[in-house]
Amino acid sequence: MNTQLVKTLAQIIKSLSEEERILLESELHPQQDWETTKKRILERNQKICQQRGGKPLEPSIDEIFYQMREERSEELMQACFPETVKEEEND
């Protein structure tokens, strides 16, 4: 075990502002945050479905997630590879 590394990291973490600590925590546990968010979304969807007499929302939550992922992927591609994206649009 690298004791010196652990001590150095502890000192750095202690020196962080509250805002930086929150950001660090979200970086260390992103899956947990996602699971909490997904659970909240599904619970709200169920309440809305009950209010609508059992009729589900359109589009489904899975379709919405897929669309959001596609949009984000497109944004990232344009940001990282602007020349490539322009070439593909021209084809």
Side-chain angles (χ1 to χ4, degrees), residues 25 29 31-32 47 49 52 66 73-74 80 84-85:
E25 189 67 29
H29 303 289
Q31 187 65 27
Q32 183 180 24
K47 286 181 183 179
C49 187
R52 293 172 47 96
Y66 177 78
S73 294
E74 183 64 30
C80 295
T84 306
V85 173

Side-chain angles (χ1 to χ4, degrees), residues 5-42:
L5 175 62
V6 173
K7 288 181 180 181
T8 303
L9 288 172
Q11 287 177 333
I12 292 169
I13 291 170
K14 288 177 183 177
S15 71
L16 296 175
S17 69
E18 183 64 27
E19 183 180 42
E20 292 166 331
R21 285 185 188 195
I22 291 169
L23 178 59
L24 174 62
E25 189 67 29
S26 70
E27 289 293 324
L28 292 174
H29 303 289
Q31 187 65 27
Q32 183 180 24
D33 293 338
W34 166 245
E35 289 173 359
T36 302
T37 302
K38 184 178 179 184
K39 182 180 177 183
R40 257 193 357 254
I41 290 170
L42 292 172

